[in-house]
Amino acid sequence: VQDAYEQSGIFQDEEMENKFCAVAALYTEACQVIVRADSDIQSVEELQGKTVSIGAEESGSEQNAWQILSANEKLVETINLNYEDAAAQLKAGRIDAMFITAGAPSAVVTALAEDCGIRLLCVDGAAAKRLQDSCSSYSVCTIPAGTYPGQEEEVQTVGVKAVLLASAALPEKQVEQLTKLLFDGRENLSTQLGIRLDTEAEATEGVGIPFHKGAAAYYKTADITVAS
């Protein structure tokens, strides 16, 4: 989102206008690096020379995967697969690992864990620090033990915010009402999604682009000031 707004990164050669604004960060999407439980790969450093799915072409997962691999200075054989296809290929042993950027638990990863057993690799230490230093949108996050079947230990990784956007052309009052509706229904939405949604204070962190004036008006009622 930040690259698109600033026309940087993969969007630097795109002819586009940044006529969109943030409404809220919804939750942290964890960058999950997954191998089979019977794999001898124990860390991201050991992906060197392996075949790895980095997500669909031009997806957020692909960008996260390249940045994580670059931070670890590892050369791997990459392949672009959507999450379902990557899970099927990993289960069949045709690839060695897969990247997925999603809220945890992910239904695709849960099903894979039930089918063949999985292990999540940590993205931490010096590599995580280099990643955060080079890209401010990353934050440290933990995938608690028991998030997936057979996962007995917590996993340290990095994550990025899933962000709700709105057209800058939407009326201020309409977006203010939308933002209020989001937080009024936060607990019910969290239950339905199976993912804890951010509070108002958390929803204004790690976004990286201006907020819609309507969203800013709502946050002001909660004594939170954002750039709009």
Side-chain angles (χ1 to χ4, degrees), residues 12-23:
Q12 64 183 351
D13 297 323
E14 298 286 335
E15 292 293 333
M16 59 185 297
E17 297 183 51
N18 51 7
K19 293 184 177 180
F20 58 88
C21 306
V23 175

Side-chain angles (χ1 to χ4, degrees), residues 30-68:
C31 297
Q32 302 167 62
V33 190
I34 302 152
V35 298
R36 287 174 54 114
D38 58 5
S39 170
D40 59 358
I41 300 171
Q42 300 292 331
S43 67
V44 173
E45 287 76 11
E46 295 175 16
L47 292 176
Q48 180 106 18
K50 304 297 185 181
T51 301
V52 180
S53 170
I54 55 175
E57 191 171 355
E58 297 188 350
S59 66
S61 286
E62 182 188 47
Q63 301 311 308
N64 298 147
W66 278 124
Q67 289 164 343
I68 290 169

Side-chain angles (χ1 to χ4, degrees), residues 32-41 47 50-54 79 81-100 108-121:
Q32 302 167 62
V33 190
I34 302 152
V35 298
R36 287 174 54 114
D38 58 5
S39 170
D40 59 358
I41 300 171
L47 292 176
K50 304 297 185 181
T51 301
V52 180
S53 170
I54 55 175
I79 183 172
L81 296 170
N82 63 39
Y83 296 155
E84 290 80 7
D85 290 345
Q89 296 274 13
L90 186 62
K91 178 183 175 182
R94 297 190 183 98
I95 61 174
D96 299 298
M98 61 179 285
F99 279 79
I100 174 172
V108 170
V109 181
T110 297
L112 181 62
E114 291 171 342
D115 285 345
C116 70
I118 62 166
R119 184 187 314 114
L120 279 76
L121 307 183

Side-chain angles (χ1 to χ4, degrees), residues 104 141-148 151-155:
C141 68
T142 300
I143 302 175
T147 298
Y148 295 111
Q151 181 201 342
E152 297 179 354
E153 298 180 355
E154 68 177 27
V155 175

